[in-house]
Amino acid sequence: MLVSTTARPGDSTVAFIVTLHVKPGREAEFLGLLTPVLDAMRHEPSFINAVLHRSPDDPTLFMLYETWADRDELVQVQIPRAYRQAYIAALPDVLRQERGVTVWQPMRGDFATTAPGV
């Protein structure tokens, strides 16, 4: 079964695309810092989803796609959460350049209810 969603007027949903260039040889350390953050944030009431990607051409390049119900709540409440602090503090040492963050307003989403082969 397929599901499609469309944003409604006044919808405050926001998507963030975060690009992370990890120093070579520090990928496992980076993932060790990020995994507990992903595990914790999925329990937040304004969290919708997150998908972590790795470049097939560069094993040190990661992209995180996050969707949240409200941008202001994310910035003011979620990002300062204690479970994010070790990760945020370690980024300058683990990354080879500052992370890139772009903000997007979702307009439509199309999803299969099960992944292929599941």
Side-chain angles (χ1 to χ4, degrees), residues 2 5-7 13 16 18 33 36-37 42 44 49 52 54 64 70 77 82 96 102 105 111 115-116:
L2 301 177
T5 61
T6 305
T13 302
F16 289 83
V18 183
L33 290 162
V37 174
R42 73 170 166 243
E44 298 293 352
N49 67 2
L52 178 63
R54 183 182 230 166
L64 183 59
D70 184 272
V77 176
R96 61 180 190 226
T102 57
Q105 182 179 12
F111 306 92

Side-chain angles (χ1 to χ4, degrees), residues 19-21 52-63 96:
T19 306
L20 303 129
H21 296 266
L52 178 63
H53 303 264
R54 183 182 230 166
S55 169
D57 300 320
D58 179 354
T60 67
L61 177 57
F62 296 85
M63 187 268 283
R96 61 180 190 226

Side-chain angles (χ1 to χ4, degrees), residues 55 67 77 83 113:
S55 169
T67 311
V77 176
Y83 65 78
T113 56

Side-chain angles (χ1 to χ4, degrees), residues 15-20 64 71 79 98-104:
F16 289 83
I17 297 177
V18 183
T19 306
L20 303 129
L64 183 59
R71 179 182 183 168
I79 291 176
E98 190 173 328
R99 64 185 164 170
V101 179
T102 57
V103 181
W104 299 82

Side-chain angles (χ1 to χ4, degrees), residues 2-42:
L2 301 177
V3 177
S4 180
T5 61
T6 305
R8 288 170 249 145
D11 188 351
S12 60
T13 302
V14 65
F16 289 83
I17 297 177
V18 183
T19 306
L20 303 129
H21 296 266
V22 177
K23 291 178 181 174
R26 309 280 299 264
E27 300 89 352
E29 179 183 357
F30 166 73
L31 292 170
L33 290 162
L34 179 59
T35 297
V37 174
L38 294 172
D39 291 343
M41 72 186 202
R42 73 170 166 243

